[in-house]
Amino acid sequence: MTRRSVSTQKDDKVAANGHNGTQSHPRGKQDDKKVGLGKKVTLLRGISMIIGTIIGAGIFISPKGILKHSGSIGMSLIMWIACGVLSLFGALSYAELGTCIKKSGGHYTYILEAFGPQMAFMRLWADLIAIRPAGMAVISLAFGQYILEPLFMPCDVSPLAVKLATAIGITSVMYLNSISVTWTVRIQIFLTFSKLLAISIIIVPGMYQLFKGETKNFENAFEMSNVELSGLPLAFYSGMYAYAGWFYLNFVTEEVDNPERTVPLAICISMGIVTSCYVLANVAYYTVMSAEELLASEAVAVTFAEKLMGNFSIAVPLFVALSCYGSMNGCLFALSRMFYVASREGHLPEVLSMVHVHRHTPLAAVLILYPMTMLQLFVGDIYSLLNFMSFLRWLFIGVVVLGLIYLRYTKPDLHRPFKVPLFIPVVFCLTCFFMVSLSLYSDPVNTGIGFAISLTGIPAYYIFIYFNHRPKWLQRALDSFNRTLQILLLVIPAEQ
């Protein structure tokens, strides 16, 4: 890793430019065309990115976590609405941060601005070594499972076949993000419309059943005999996980066209659509299935389709696979920008802040997750790792929103084109820390392991970033590593 700051990198670029202002790079002289990441994320593309990343496999496969812990159909629907509202609070808080801090990088950038480099590096370290590879592997495994299911029906899919299909899916997403930003966002729009079509295939027949009078499962919907207060926080936790992803547009702020308008508008529209889809889809499920049948189902959307659509239900796994692919694509697009910005700040190897000389994509930043994701796919216990790390997501998101409140007082003159009422970040921040406290109480072992993994970022920060005097042999090795990758990947420093 390198410690070099943005100013140092700029000095390097000036030196490399020589006297004629021409950048030196592996393919010779460049033309006058600016090499960098353009502003290609419009309002429609921003909406598709948020919706396409939030809506993964969960709403199609297993919305039963909320029902199980809330205790009744009525309470579960209230939880879906409440989680949507709270997610909107978080998204609005991030919209304010995205319009007053116009840097890409999301969580990392905002923690860096509010609380400094050490806290930001800890977040980055946990993301890089565990959270993001595991998260990518899990959603990719769902893609592999459901893309193969129609071919193997009625038999179970071989685990090895699932992993091979998953590996192909991960590789194709990496390739797509490497070759073109434009095609990445175009395909994301297509996948977003595909998953909205899939949800409408559930909602429309469900609403038709409701208007026909299929309401028996809603009788005594608010029966309180099975409702336990201790279970409500767990239901809330499941719901917030289902809505996670509203923050990904903030990872690409520098590529958003007119971010002061686009970021808040895209977030508000997206959260309205997602919340409506989630609530209506659950209502549709209950018109066909009782609470007991829903809890017993392994894939709720497939069970729903079998009851109402007969043979057409074979198409549902394909829609689920497309939905997972959209989440994979959106996550990778956003996360690569976080690594790109972290490299620019000197917290990751310098080559990660470079752009492909022809395709203008952050190629090295896209590929950095590939080896760790493939390793965890074939070797690691991914689901256990996610249990370790799930509470860290809400801890750091809570820290980010706390940073918004902190910046209100430390930088009151900061230009804020979009400003939310203070109670919105306060409510969201308190809820995040409550969920973290709940994790510490309900599962101290796994939470403690996750916390310990994140704390390894402290010695890593001092070894790789803080200390100014490295052995010369180590510095030479790092410089050689950067030069070699720069030549192999055909990347050069982006123009700011």
Side-chain angles (χ1 to χ4, degrees):
M1 295 188 183
T2 68
R3 306 181 309 275
R4 304 202 301 174
S5 65
V6 178
S7 60
T8 307
Q9 291 180 24
K10 287 181 179 176
D11 292 340
D12 289 348
K13 282 189 270 185
V14 172
N17 286 344
H19 298 290
N20 60 1
T22 304
Q23 177 76 44
S24 174
H25 64 85
R27 291 291 297 269
K29 292 184 178 181
Q30 271 290 90
D31 55 23
D32 293 332
K33 186 176 180 181
K34 182 176 179 180
V35 177
L37 302 177
K39 289 185 175 293
K40 297 182 180 180
V41 181
T42 60
L43 178 61
L44 177 60
R45 290 172 174 178
I47 292 170
S48 69
M49 184 179 175
I50 297 172
I51 295 176
T53 309
I54 293 177
I55 302 177
I59 190 63
F60 301 108
I61 300 171
S62 184
K64 57 189 180 184
I66 290 182
L67 176 62
K68 177 181 178 181
H69 294 297
S70 61
S72 72
I73 290 175
M75 286 299 296
S76 72
L77 294 176
I78 288 175
M79 279 292 172
W80 279 107
I81 296 170
C83 290
V85 171
L86 188 67
S87 297
L88 176 62
F89 280 13
L92 290 173
S93 300
Y94 268 61
E96 176 177 326
L97 288 166
T99 54
C100 68
I101 302 172
K102 297 183 181 66
K103 293 181 183 178
S104 297
H107 315 311
Y108 166 81
T109 296
Y110 304 143
I111 294 175
L112 180 67
E113 292 288 329
F115 301 116
Q118 185 172 334
M119 181 75 78
F121 183 83
M122 286 181 62
R123 167 74 203 199
L124 176 72
W125 179 261
D127 269 340
L128 185 61
I129 67 170
I131 298 176
R132 299 305 178 180
M136 182 69 73
V138 166
I139 191 67
S140 303
L141 279 169
F143 164 80
Q145 174 73 35
Y146 282 89
I147 198 71
L148 292 178
E149 191 164 294
L151 301 177
F152 284 79
M153 283 182 174
C155 301
D156 292 333
V157 185
S158 162
L160 179 60
V162 170
K163 291 196 173 185
L164 290 175
T166 300
I168 293 171
I170 294 171
T171 304
S172 66
V173 168
M174 295 281 178
Y175 178 74
L176 173 64
N177 277 266
S178 298
I179 62 169
S180 172
V181 172
T182 301
W183 275 104
T184 299
V185 293
R186 284 177 180 172
I187 289 176
Q188 187 68 8
I189 292 173
F190 167 75
L191 292 170
T192 298
F193 279 108
S194 297
K195 62 181 67 182
L196 290 177
L197 173 62
I199 291 180
S200 68
I201 290 173
I202 294 169
I203 291 174
V204 173
M207 294 302 102
Y208 177 70
Q209 293 294 314
L210 188 66
F211 291 130
K212 276 176 57 180
E214 294 292 335
T215 59
K216 62 180 181 296
N217 292 327
F218 294 98
E219 296 173 4
N220 300 318
F222 289 93
E223 173 62 46
M224 303 299 288
S225 60
N226 294 324
V227 177
E228 296 180 5
L229 289 178
S230 60
L232 294 181
L234 297 176
F236 208 68
Y237 192 91
S238 298
M240 292 301 291
Y241 181 82
Y243 282 99
W246 40 262
F247 39 74
Y248 279 122
L249 187 60
N250 295 71
F251 283 63
V252 298
T253 306
E254 293 170 25
E255 295 171 69
V256 176
D257 182 38
N258 190 11
E260 294 182 359
R261 171 184 177 273
T262 302
V263 171
L265 203 54
I267 284 173
C268 292
I269 293 172
S270 301
M271 292 310 300
I273 292 173
V274 170
T275 303
S276 300
C277 287
Y278 277 5
V279 174
L280 291 175
N282 276 275
V283 171
Y285 290 146
Y286 293 129
T287 62
V288 175
M289 290 180 279
S290 65
E292 292 75 16
E293 289 174 317
L294 190 143
L295 290 173
S297 174
E298 292 297 323
V300 177
V302 174
T303 305
F304 175 88
E306 287 172 348
K307 285 178 173 288
L308 276 189
M309 305 172 194
N311 292 333
F312 183 75
S313 62
I314 198 172
V316 173
L318 295 177
F319 278 119
V320 175
L322 283 175
S323 183
C324 294
Y325 197 85
S327 293
M328 293 157 59
N329 186 53
C331 285
L332 183 61
F333 183 81
L335 293 172
S336 62
R337 273 54 178 181
M338 180 177 69
F339 300 134
Y340 173 89
V341 171
S343 171
R344 200 171 63 189
E345 296 291 340
H347 284 174
L348 286 176
E350 184 183 6
V351 70
L352 297 179
S353 62
M354 297 184 183
V355 176
H356 192 276
V357 68
H358 299 304
R359 303 194 181 279
H360 300 180
T361 59
L363 183 59
V366 169
L367 296 177
I368 188 174
L369 281 180
Y370 188 72
M372 282 292 291
T373 303
M374 297 299 284
L375 180 68
Q376 291 190 19
L377 175 65
F378 286 99
V379 178
D381 186 355
I382 300 166
Y383 291 97
S384 294
L385 191 58
L386 275 185
N387 288 336
F388 298 157
M389 294 298 175
S390 59
F391 91 102
L392 281 178
R393 161 183 276 178
W394 296 110
L395 173 63
F396 281 111
I397 288 176
V399 168
V400 169
V401 178
L402 182 64
L404 181 152
I405 300 169
Y406 179 71
L407 288 172
R408 286 275 188 98
Y409 292 96
T410 57
K411 296 183 179 180
D413 298 327
L414 185 66
H415 179 55
R416 294 176 171 85
F418 180 82
K419 190 174 181 179
V420 296
L422 190 60
F423 83 89
I424 287 179
V426 168
V427 170
F428 183 81
C429 189
L430 290 174
T431 305
C432 285
F433 292 140
F434 170 73
M435 288 193 288
V436 169
S437 301
L438 180 70
S439 297
L440 289 168
Y441 173 75
S442 61
D443 193 2
V445 175
N446 283 337
T447 301
I449 292 172
F451 196 64
I453 291 174
S454 70
L455 288 178
T456 61
I458 296 176
Y461 174 78
Y462 283 97
I463 292 170
F464 294 115
I465 309 298
Y466 185 77
F467 292 130
N468 292 320
H469 302 290
R470 287 181 182 156
K472 290 183 179 180
W473 64 266
L474 178 58
Q475 188 60 54
R476 283 196 299 269
L478 289 170
D479 291 341
S480 176
F481 172 78
N482 274 307
R483 283 196 302 272
T484 302
L485 281 183
Q486 186 178 355
I487 294 169
L488 290 174
L489 299 176
L490 290 177
V491 293
I492 62 174
E495 297 179 27
Q496 300 299 317

